[in-house]
Amino acid sequence: MKKFLKKISGSLSFNVIGGFVGYTIIFGLIIVTISNIIFINTFKTEYAETTYHMADAASALVDGAYIPYFLKGENKLEYSRIQRELDVCCEKMFVSIIYVIAVDQSDYGSYISVFNSVNNEVDNTNYVPWELGYKRETSNDEYRQKYKALYEQGSTYETVYRIRSNGNERPHNSHITTVVPIKNHTGEVVALLCMQRPLDELLDKMFPYLVTVSISAFMFANLFNVLISLFIKYRIIKPVSEVSEEALRFAEEGTKGNLRNDISNYKVFSDLSTSINSMETDLTQYIEDITSITAEKERIGAELDIAKRIQFDMLPSIFPPFPDRKEFDIYASMTPAKEVGGDFYNFFFIDDDHLALVIADVSGKGIPAALFMMVTSIIISDIAKTGKTPSEVLTKANERICSHNKADMFVTVWLGVLEISTGRLISSNAGHEDPAVCRKNGDFELLKSKHGLMLGTLEGIKYADFEFRLNKGDKLFLYTDGVHEATNEQDEMFRIDRMLDTLNSYKEKSPTEILKGMHNSINTFVGDAPQFDDLTMLCIEMKDDFVSESLTLDATLDNLDKADSFVGGVLDKLGCDSGIKKQIALAFEECFVNIVSYAYGDNCGKAEITVEGDRSKVTLILKDSGSPFDPLGNPDPDLSLSVQDREIGGLGVYLTKKSMDSVAYEYTDNQNVLIMEKRLTGGVGSE
């Protein structure tokens, strides 16, 4: 073990000191590189400035006004004088070449030599002077751009560097070329003076400078590394190693040690030593405490499992809940965010024809919310079974909850009482979510109503009833806010619009499949994000007893009895009482006789009779292929007139409209179509 600890200590020392040395060397290389770059750039700038002043002085020898004459071969005496002076400048200034050129300004792609002075002794070159009028192509785009800058952009001078050429490591003709403008008396640039100066001085001085800086940097770096390494080893590494050895010993043995508090002159290491001693004491106590806490947690977990079973046992059975009732189908589910939840649902019969539906959401979560939920559920159920309206139930429940609500908790509740025989549903809302209703052959939509305050918030609150109807084939969906507020890992909510889209994608399914589909959609949306709220849903569907039967026969009076018998048989299936059957029969016979008498003239055609409906409404549809005729097009007869004063006809149609709730006519697909509707006793719209 000691060998292992020494190995760790040595490894720590090597890593820290070695890393520091490595970084110091890298830092030295960076300093050398930056210094060399700064030196070269500074020297090049100074070199360029000096060369410019030399070129500018040489350009003063050339009068720009004579350039056109020189190119024509005129003023030879003046030309010779200037050439001699330029030759002297080239020699005295110790430059390689001084030449004057007139550049083609159309594209700066060529130029003509005017003057040319060469001093090959400067850098052992073998340049041959150009003759006056010698024409040459511009070397490259760089020169063209610089020529353009001098001619057009008013540049004072331009510089071109040639550090390497022909692939040589150290070319003897590395040089700088400075170009200055030559102007005439009007200030127009008519030619350029170019001065080429060797760069040997720059290159000769660069290498010794680089060597000197590099050697100096590495010497100081190595000396610094030695001193800092000794300092780190004895002032930092050694105290850290002692602390590390004690930590390893405690991890293996689990017993408290006695690490020196004066382990180092630095306060941070002394504090670390004190912290290690304190940590060992705390950890020893923690191990004892955690053993006790674990046992207590297991006991609480077992009790929560029992509480969860008790809570779910209070909810009504859903497999199915009322197997002897065929009028509706109902299904509900609750998924708590913790072991037990604050949401609840309930449904129970008040009497044989009235079903109570409850869904609620208690503030908070966990055991307090679960206890409050159980109390609230019992209170609402007890009051509802007395036959009170939903608003009266919630008003009474609020009084009882407020009188014993020292914890200041509250609960949102939606309570509805459904009359099974008619589909009439009276509801009351105490701050809960609006339900969603899907009408037969329609889509799920929110059913808005007035909300009251949550139960338990304020005494003396009165709640209001809201009435609507569930027809055969309609569905009602109840839910808590855990549905639309389910949140994914990007903190996006499921939202009401996504809930409605999901409901509509399952609208043709049973309540069981609708709730399971909603669960799957929410789980897919949430992904791996934790569930933060209880998730409770309830769905009820009114079973569809819709009847639709058709009969086609010849439109003759001989078939009237057969037609009457057909219509009466369908009405019997729908449970119509005798009074309504007589009204419907009167209207039907009048319309059928009209078809027989007028639709086909002297010919015999067909009449198609369709009777459809449910326990709330019946619809009669009569079709014939006779001449187009709208029986509703004429005004109703004026019954205030005497029989002698009234116009003949129209009384049968008038009686039909009075017998039925609505009568409509349309002509489609070459057929007369008459549609008559009658609401049945206790159906939609009945009083």
Side-chain angles (χ1 to χ4, degrees), residues 127-193:
Y127 294 121
V128 177
W130 296 332
E131 298 292 334
L132 174 63
Y134 174 75
K135 188 173 183 180
R136 180 180 174 88
E137 298 294 326
T138 303
S139 301
N140 51 49
D141 287 337
E142 182 182 8
Y143 274 100
R144 277 192 286 271
Q145 293 299 323
K146 293 185 180 296
Y147 293 163
K148 183 177 181 180
L150 291 164
Y151 271 96
E152 298 182 10
Q153 300 170 8
S155 178
T156 304
Y157 72 97
E158 297 291 331
T159 303
V160 178
Y161 292 94
R162 287 293 178 265
I163 306 298
R164 293 284 184 266
S165 65
N166 301 327
N168 296 328
E169 290 185 3
R170 173 74 187 282
H172 63 277
N173 58 347
S174 295
H175 60 271
I176 179 176
T177 300
T178 299
V179 186
V180 297
I182 296 177
K183 302 178 181 179
N184 58 19
H185 296 161
T186 63
E188 179 185 2
V189 178
V190 296
L192 302 177
L193 183 142

Side-chain angles (χ1 to χ4, degrees), residues 1 120 160 224 287 302 319 385 405 503 530 545 556 592 595 637:
M1 183 64 184
N120 285 323
V160 178
F224 180 75
I287 292 171
F319 299 110
K385 289 177 181 178
N405 189 18
L503 287 172
D545 56 358
T556 64
F592 185 82
I595 294 174

Side-chain angles (χ1 to χ4, degrees), residues 58 61-63 66-67 70 75-91 96-101 113-119 128-133 193-194:
L61 302 175
V62 183
D63 190 344
Y66 287 101
I67 295 298
F70 294 156
N75 293 62
K76 293 183 178 180
L77 184 62
E78 179 66 15
Y79 178 85
S80 299
R81 182 187 67 77
I82 294 174
Q83 182 64 59
R84 286 194 302 273
E85 291 179 351
L86 290 176
D87 290 340
V88 172
C89 284
C90 187
E91 180 180 355
S96 302
I97 308 174
I98 298 177
Y99 57 95
V100 178
I101 56 176
S113 174
V114 182
F115 295 101
N116 198 282
S117 299
V118 176
N119 184 6
V128 177
W130 296 332
E131 298 292 334
L132 174 63
L193 183 142
C194 306

Side-chain angles (χ1 to χ4, degrees), residues 125-370:
T125 55
N126 53 0
Y127 294 121
V128 177
W130 296 332
E131 298 292 334
L132 174 63
Y134 174 75
K135 188 173 183 180
R136 180 180 174 88
E137 298 294 326
T138 303
S139 301
N140 51 49
D141 287 337
E142 182 182 8
Y143 274 100
R144 277 192 286 271
Q145 293 299 323
K146 293 185 180 296
Y147 293 163
K148 183 177 181 180
L150 291 164
Y151 271 96
E152 298 182 10
Q153 300 170 8
S155 178
T156 304
Y157 72 97
E158 297 291 331
T159 303
V160 178
Y161 292 94
R162 287 293 178 265
I163 306 298
R164 293 284 184 266
S165 65
N166 301 327
N168 296 328
E169 290 185 3
R170 173 74 187 282
H172 63 277
N173 58 347
S174 295
H175 60 271
I176 179 176
T177 300
T178 299
V179 186
V180 297
I182 296 177
K183 302 178 181 179
N184 58 19
H185 296 161
T186 63
E188 179 185 2
V189 178
V190 296
L192 302 177
L193 183 142
C194 306
M195 178 178 288
Q196 180 175 308
R197 184 181 180 188
L199 286 176
D200 289 343
E201 181 181 1
L202 173 65
L203 298 175
D204 290 342
K205 291 182 178 180
M206 180 178 67
F207 183 72
Y209 172 82
L210 180 61
V211 172
T212 302
V213 171
S214 300
I215 293 175
S216 300
F218 282 110
M219 287 180 62
F220 282 107
N222 288 331
L223 178 60
F224 180 75
N225 285 334
V226 172
L227 296 176
I228 200 66
S229 297
L230 293 174
F231 176 82
I232 291 175
K233 181 176 181 180
Y234 290 101
R235 291 299 183 94
I236 298 177
I237 300 298
K238 187 177 180 181
V240 170
S241 296
E242 292 185 22
V243 172
S244 175
E245 290 176 5
E246 174 59 22
L248 289 171
R249 185 204 64 77
F250 179 77
E252 287 185 353
E253 300 176 5
T255 58
K256 187 180 181 306
N258 189 21
L259 193 64
R260 293 184 300 113
N261 292 331
D262 59 346
I263 195 171
S264 172
N265 293 331
Y266 292 102
K267 186 176 184 298
V268 62
F269 293 114
S270 297
D271 291 345
L272 179 60
S273 175
T274 302
S275 298
I276 289 292
N277 287 330
S278 176
M279 179 198 70
E280 292 178 354
T281 301
D282 294 342
L283 281 177
T284 303
Q285 182 63 43
Y286 174 77
I287 292 171
E288 296 176 358
D289 293 342
I290 201 65
T291 302
S292 175
I293 292 173
T294 301
E296 180 66 15
K297 185 176 180 181
E298 290 176 353
R299 183 187 64 80
I300 293 174
E303 293 179 354
L304 284 175
D305 287 339
I306 296 174
K308 183 176 181 179
R309 288 197 298 271
I310 293 173
Q311 185 179 38
F312 274 90
D313 288 343
M314 286 191 62
L315 302 177
S317 171
I318 54 174
F319 299 110
F322 311 113
D324 56 332
R325 301 303 294 256
K326 306 299 182 182
E327 302 97 324
F328 61 90
D329 184 16
I330 191 169
Y331 188 80
S333 69
M334 185 183 78
T335 306
K338 294 186 176 182
E339 289 81 358
V340 290
D343 285 5
F344 71 90
Y345 67 85
N346 200 358
F347 45 81
F348 52 89
F349 272 104
I350 297 174
D351 55 44
D352 287 343
D353 196 34
H354 292 85
L355 177 68
L357 305 171
V358 186
I359 191 164
D361 183 1
V362 176
S363 61
K365 303 176 186 66
I367 294 177

Side-chain angles (χ1 to χ4, degrees), residues 434-451:
D434 289 313
V437 174
C438 179
R439 300 300 181 184
K440 182 179 179 181
N441 299 323
D443 289 335
F444 273 99
E445 296 178 345
L446 291 184
L447 187 64
K448 301 286 187 178
S449 65
K450 184 178 180 181
H451 291 202

